[in-house]
Amino acid sequence: MDLRALFGSNDRGIQVEEHFTDRQEQWEAVVAALAEHARAVAAPGFDVEDLETPRDNVLVFHGVGGIGKSTLSRKVESALAHGDQRPAQWGAPVRVNARVLPVRIDLARSAGTDFERVVLTLRLALAELGRPLPAFDLALRRYWDHVHPGEPLEEFLRRGGLGRRFGRAVPQQMQSALTDIAQAVLLPGTVGAVVGQITGALVRALRDHRASVRALAGCSRLADLLEAEPGLDALSYYPHLLAWELARLPPARAVVPVILLDTFEDIGDRVHRDLERLLQRVVWLMPNAFFVVTGRSRLQWAEEALHGQLDWTGPAAWPGLAVPAGTADATAPGPARQILIGDFSAEDCDDYLARRLTRNGEPVMGPDVRAVITARSHGLPLHLDLAVQRFLAIRRTGRDPRPADLDLDFPALIVRTLSDLTPDERHVLRSVSLLDNFDVALASRAAGMTFESAALRMVERPFVRFDPHAVWPYHLHGVIRSTIRTAGDQADDRWSERDWTQAAVRALEAIGERWAEASAPGRGLLVDCLRQGLRLARDFGLGLGWLADAAWSYVADSVWEPLAPPAPDEPAPPTLSTAADALVETLSALARRQHEHREHTVARLTAVVDSGLLPAELRDMAVYYRAKALRDLGRSQDSRDGMRMVADGGGRLAPAARRGLAHLARLTGDFPTALRTAGTLGWAGRHHRVLGDVWWVQGDLARAAEAYRAARDEAEQHAVAGERATAQAQRAFTLAFADPALAQDELDLAHQLLVGLDLRATRLTAHIAALVRDAGAASAQLEGRAQVLRAEAGTAGITAARLAVELALGFHHAILADHARLDACLARLREAVHGGDYAYYGDIVCFMSGRPLPDDGPPRARWLDGPGPTRARWQALVAARRAVYGGAP
């Protein structure tokens, strides 16, 4: 029962349930590991006194604060103690060839558990065996009388509550054990008065190998333990005696203790490991017991670097706790016995919230409220609990909570996250909350530290996640990062707004340095740097600095990965107030144009240009790409004005703008001008591709294909992936008219080069090339495929693609001599060109089909060698395709 929720409302009609969600995988891990442990203990060669064999008797569940570790620990204890009380989804109970005895010990500071209480708890739990444990009981009694003179153990157990928890059988069992030992060594008198005498007499009897103490003589280290100074250090070795006592139980009474150590992070910090060292001894010295540890951090016992701080360290000692070789991070999956407890799935979150508060069996929280909480929580159970309390608090005001009331972070999460961090770790954590992802060096630099130790410690925390495939492998748990950045921080070392701004400046500089220092910065590093840098500059009003050069590198490759979340599909672009705002909007518009209609691209870039916030060269970027979008929309004169402005400015994009002017000349049918301009462009103006664009419309496909091949190879030499894919798609489109078999190979290469690139127009070109390849085949179903591509081109606002679809259909109908469909195709072309650009597409269809050119309409194109030779080449292509399919002339 969740008592906080129960007492959070006067509404007695609400049923409050502390709902336990899933964790089936963790239970299955417990079952599998416990079964394996039981088999190992029952094996003939198992020796409880073997102190050199590696240990595999511990299972660790670690995760962020509030993920549900303690709840899991309690549920595992309950399921082991009472099989019928396990959650239904956990399946069958544990089945081993011994009785399972669960013992849960809460190590939280609030529980006041020290090492003495741990050892006493273990002994008290074993009282259920109903028999003395003489070796251990004598050692424990000697220790107690020495360390706590005048304080009876029985009174301590009663006062501390342990006696009530585990019963009062232990004092009687201990007394019985001491009496039996006294009789075995022939000591008279009362046991309570002669514990020291019993110990000395038993040691002498063991050293002398007397038959009267044969039962205890099998414990080879008992005499040494009884002779050792009875302090806390000696007490930490006494669990060896418990393990020995358990090992000599008769098979019918065999027991497997399952010791659940919860809140392990509260035993101390990672500098002073005194209590951890004592607890590790218990685990090592009790190889026949199974330990389930839950805490915020993984156990580091398998690390060689801890040699000297702990007694047994390294992967040879703890093979199941070792991080696999080559894995850079402790939270990465892999270790068989170290399991990171993951967040709830969205479905589990919704189920949890639906069941926590109910009335008449129905959820009190509506689905819209649950959806907001689920999204905000990132699957963290603590966030769900805090949201439930917030929900009830709002209801107490007399109104029903709305979704917006729960769309927030909770400062309590900050307290839970920071509670066991050092001041330096806290500083690093706040610094990296500004970053999407990072590594140790970047985290230290962003925090302004000249040393990396704090960052090294912090990345081992469970709220830091690891992705080996990322440019920088670490990132914060989503809700932890969001909370640190947005919730009210009430910690004593909280940051001021100036602190946050200075941290943002450091982070931006650090990211820029990493990009500049890279000997061969790849595309992934560039995009990651831009994403993080742009957001920092935008959110904190910082100058552009290195971001300007990075933006030019981004556009140079023509790949167009998204740099920001998609902007809302609204008529008006967002408000721009800084240069960073304008640059973010520019690059976002360029990336999003692959998914939006070109009208949206024009509107967004117009807002950037009109804002006047960008420096001149970056303003040219917005003007140039707006001009390209205008050309796609068929607004050629507006496009021409923009291209000329950029070309006249002489900036970085001037060659590209001159190429744009050549394209615009080609669209009007002025092929001689386009051809002359291509000779002046060079690589920067993509001269080979411009030549290919001029030659293919002349029907000179071999020369066009060669030009596109040269464009592709040149792009490859310059490592410009987007241009390489575009040139190859155009080559495949060109060859599809001439040689379907060869075109298939070229298309395969085009699709291969498009993998990982976001180039909508180029993908359309490749799909249209497939139409051309299949032209003339009666079974190709070109009409249906063309309809899909026509719609996609219309959605994107790419006029050239829509017209290319009609051209492919015209080729198909000309091959089949389908005059009715040719008429329809020509009508669609005339309607689409609106009396200007691309009018020559209709001429090409007339050339293909042997029809005369219409007398009316726009001016005829200026073909390079006249309309007659051009007509002959296109008619020859139709005749060749008819020969392939055996069509009638």
Side-chain angles (χ1 to χ4, degrees):
M1 174 64 69
D2 183 352
L3 295 180
R4 287 181 305 160
L6 178 66
F7 284 87
S9 172
N10 290 331
D11 188 348
R12 296 297 295 151
I14 294 181
Q15 285 76 48
V16 179
E17 177 185 354
E18 188 174 9
H19 181 59
F20 183 74
T21 300
D22 200 9
R23 300 305 185 199
Q24 182 176 352
E25 291 183 3
Q26 286 75 32
W27 169 250
E28 291 173 353
V30 171
V31 171
L34 183 54
E36 182 180 341
H37 169 78
R39 286 193 296 270
V41 171
F46 179 80
D47 181 5
V48 76
E49 292 194 291
D50 180 359
L51 301 181
E52 298 180 357
T53 298
R55 296 300 195 250
D56 204 22
N57 61 329
V58 59
L59 178 65
V60 181
F61 294 112
H62 60 107
V64 299
I67 200 68
K69 301 178 298 295
S70 294
T71 301
L72 174 64
S73 180
R74 290 192 295 268
K75 287 292 182 180
V76 169
E77 178 194 30
S78 176
L80 293 175
H82 311 284
D84 57 342
Q85 294 186 12
R86 68 187 183 283
Q89 67 268 33
W90 278 10
V94 173
R95 300 189 186 281
V96 297
N97 294 325
R99 176 188 172 195
V100 175
L101 179 63
V103 185
R104 183 174 177 273
I105 301 174
D106 188 354
L107 299 173
R109 295 186 184 96
S110 58
T113 303
D114 56 16
F115 185 68
E116 274 189 356
R117 291 179 67 89
V118 170
V119 175
L120 289 172
T121 299
L122 294 178
R123 175 61 185 93
L124 290 166
L126 293 175
E128 293 191 22
L129 298 175
R131 55 181 291 163
L133 305 174
F136 177 84
D137 289 347
L138 175 59
L140 177 62
R141 193 57 180 260
R142 177 171 178 265
Y143 163 85
W144 192 265
D145 288 353
H146 179 82
V147 176
H148 299 276
E151 182 181 13
L153 176 60
E154 294 82 354
E155 176 61 22
F156 175 83
L157 297 176
R158 183 191 63 79
R159 189 174 64 252
L162 292 175
R164 290 193 301 274
R165 178 181 174 188
F166 293 102
R168 301 180 180 180
V170 169
Q172 290 83 357
Q173 291 176 6
M174 292 181 69
Q175 183 172 343
S176 174
L178 295 179
T179 299
D180 292 343
I181 294 173
Q183 292 174 352
V185 296
L186 304 178
L187 283 178
T190 60
V191 171
V194 293
V195 170
Q197 295 178 21
I198 293 174
T199 302
L202 176 59
V203 169
R204 288 191 296 272
L206 292 171
R207 299 294 189 197
D208 295 341
H209 304 288
R210 296 181 194 171
S212 60
V213 292
R214 184 180 297 112
L216 295 177
C219 184
S220 61
R221 295 177 176 86
L222 176 59
D224 298 297
L225 285 173
L226 293 177
E227 286 182 323
E229 181 70 18
L232 194 63
D233 194 62
L235 180 64
S236 68
Y237 291 98
Y238 293 174
H240 171 72
L241 303 176
L242 277 180
W244 181 80
E245 297 278 16
L246 290 171
R248 68 190 191 116
L249 290 173
R253 304 188 67 179
V255 66
V256 177
V258 178
I259 302 166
L260 300 107
L261 300 176
D262 189 28
T263 328
F264 202 81
E265 71 272 9
D266 274 12
I267 65 172
D269 58 45
R270 293 194 167 196
V271 177
H272 305 95
R273 297 178 181 264
D274 297 337
L275 181 52
E276 184 178 4
R277 184 174 64 253
L278 300 177
L279 289 172
Q280 192 204 54
R281 284 179 189 164
V282 174
V283 178
W284 187 272
L285 297 174
M286 297 187 70
N288 50 352
F290 187 71
F291 293 81
V292 179
V293 175
T294 45
R296 294 193 183 183
S297 303
R298 68 178 183 91
L299 288 185
Q300 296 177 307
W301 297 353
E303 296 183 11
E304 298 282 8
L306 293 185
H307 179 71
Q309 296 186 65
L310 300 174
D311 295 342
W312 293 275
T313 58
W318 307 94
L321 303 182
V323 176
T327 303
D329 179 64
T331 63
R337 295 299 175 86
Q338 301 249 43
I339 299 175
L340 178 65
I341 298 184
D343 304 320
F344 284 174
S345 66
E347 294 77 9
D348 285 341
C349 289
D350 186 76
D351 181 61
Y352 181 92
L353 294 169
R355 294 172 182 266
R356 276 296 299 272
L357 302 175
T358 60
R359 177 184 284 108
N360 299 324
E362 295 297 322
V364 174
M365 290 184 178
D368 51 348
V369 172
R370 299 200 306 270
V372 167
I373 297 173
T374 294
R376 195 77 181 196
S377 73
H378 292 267
L380 186 67
L382 178 58
H383 185 102
L384 303 179
D385 286 339
L386 294 171
V388 169
Q389 301 305 316
R390 168 76 173 165
F391 182 89
L392 291 174
I394 294 172
R395 290 184 83 255
R396 288 198 296 270
T397 66
R399 68 177 178 86
D400 290 331
R402 297 183 294 270
D405 296 324
L406 281 305
D407 189 12
L408 75 168
D409 294 310
F410 297 101
L413 284 173
I414 300 180
V415 177
R416 292 288 295 269
T417 303
L418 300 180
S419 62
D420 61 338
L421 302 184
T422 66
D424 284 345
E425 288 177 273
R426 292 182 177 202
H427 186 77
V428 174
L429 175 61
R430 288 191 172 97
S431 299
V432 298
S433 71
L434 295 169
L435 302 174
D436 299 329
N437 55 309
F438 54 91
D439 60 12
V440 170
L442 182 60
S444 301
R445 176 70 178 85
M449 293 182 169
T450 58
F451 52 89
E452 295 184 348
S453 57
L456 282 168
R457 292 194 304 271
M458 193 206 67
V459 297
E460 291 185 350
R461 302 290 182 170
F463 52 74
V464 178
R465 301 300 167 84
F466 180 76
D467 179 1
H469 305 295
V471 173
W472 293 314
Y474 300 108
H475 63 275
L476 293 182
H477 184 285
V479 75
I480 300 299
R481 181 186 180 197
S482 174
T483 302
I484 290 173
R485 287 288 296 115
T486 63
D489 188 346
Q490 300 302 313
D492 292 340
D493 58 351
R494 61 186 178 274
W495 280 5
S496 66
E497 288 301 317
R498 181 177 176 81
D499 291 331
W500 282 109
T501 301
Q502 290 175 339
V505 171
R506 290 194 304 267
L508 182 61
E509 291 175 350
I511 295 169
E513 289 172 2
R514 294 295 290 275
W515 178 63
E517 292 169 357
S519 57
R523 187 73 183 178
L525 176 63
L526 168 65
V527 171
D528 207 58
C529 289
L530 266 175
R531 282 176 180 159
Q532 303 206 63
L534 285 170
R535 185 176 45 76
L536 287 168
R538 180 195 62 195
D539 293 351
F540 290 90
L542 307 180
L544 295 181
W546 62 269
L547 290 169
D549 286 336
W552 285 112
S553 296
Y554 172 77
V555 300
D557 287 346
S558 300
V559 179
W560 312 120
E561 304 93 334
L563 294 175
D569 191 11
E570 299 175 354
T575 302
L576 307 177
S577 57
T578 67
D581 287 336
L583 184 55
V584 168
E585 179 65 6
T586 299
L587 298 182
S588 176
L590 298 188
R592 287 296 301 165
R593 72 197 171 113
Q594 308 300 328
H595 308 279
E596 294 178 337
H597 195 281
R598 291 299 195 261
E599 289 286 4
H600 292 291
T601 305
V602 169
R604 296 177 68 180
L605 292 178
T606 297
V608 170
V609 172
D610 293 346
S611 72
L613 293 169
L614 290 177
E617 278 209 328
L618 289 175
R619 183 175 182 273
D620 276 356
M621 182 188 294
V623 172
Y624 169 74
Y625 283 101
R626 180 180 63 175
K628 287 190 67 174
L630 288 167
R631 186 185 69 205
D632 289 340
L633 291 168
R635 295 166 57 181
S636 297
Q637 187 55 51
D638 292 335
S639 175
R640 191 173 289 107
D641 292 342
M643 292 294 182
R644 188 169 292 115
M645 180 187 303
V646 176
D648 292 345
R652 298 196 199 197
L653 287 173
R658 288 194 291 272
R659 180 182 79 239
L661 291 171
H663 281 314
L664 289 164
R666 175 176 57 84
L667 302 191
T668 64
D670 187 0
F671 303 125
T673 297
L675 186 63
R676 286 194 304 272
T677 304
T680 69
L681 295 176
W683 153 249
R686 307 300 191 259
H687 55 145
H688 288 306
R689 180 151 61 90
V690 175
L691 286 172
D693 292 344
V694 172
W695 287 120
W696 81 260
V697 295
Q698 314 301 314
D700 195 342
L701 302 183
R703 189 179 291 185
E706 180 59 23
Y708 287 132
R709 183 201 59 76
R712 180 199 67 199
D713 294 348
E714 196 170 28
E716 188 166 1
Q717 292 170 9
H718 288 83
V720 181
E723 175 64 20
R724 181 180 60 173
T726 297
Q728 178 58 31
Q730 286 294 135
R731 175 175 166 82
F733 172 78
T734 298
L735 290 173
F737 285 102
D739 189 337
L742 178 59
Q744 181 58 56
D745 294 337
E746 299 296 334
L747 263 176
D748 290 342
L749 178 57
H751 287 300
Q752 179 182 338
L753 296 181
L754 278 167
V755 172
L757 304 183
D758 200 359
L759 298 172
R760 191 175 194 176
T762 301
R763 289 187 186 278
L764 278 170
T765 299
H767 290 308
I768 297 169
L771 284 185
V772 177
R773 177 201 61 198
D774 296 338
S779 61
Q781 298 180 333
L782 258 67
E783 289 284 359
R785 291 159 60 189
Q787 182 64 30
V788 173
L789 292 174
R790 192 183 290 125
E792 185 175 348
T795 300
I798 303 176
T799 300
R802 286 176 26 233
L803 296 176
V805 171
E806 302 303 336
L807 186 65
L809 285 176
F811 186 50
H812 176 64
H813 300 322
I815 296 167
L816 298 177
D818 189 335
H819 299 291
R821 286 194 169 91
L822 272 170
D823 290 340
C825 179
L826 285 167
R828 288 193 298 270
L829 281 170
R830 284 194 294 270
E831 181 182 358
V833 299
H834 297 300
D837 295 340
Y838 296 104
Y840 57 86
Y841 271 36
D843 293 357
I844 293 174
V845 173
C846 289
F847 292 162
M848 292 174 176
S849 58
R851 296 187 176 195
L853 296 179
D855 294 331
D856 57 349
R860 302 275 69 85
R862 296 175 58 199
W863 303 101
L864 293 178
D865 55 357
T870 305
R871 175 187 289 272
R873 285 189 289 269
W874 282 111
Q875 280 187 324
L877 292 169
V878 171
R881 188 64 62 89
R882 281 177 178 166
V884 172
Y885 291 109

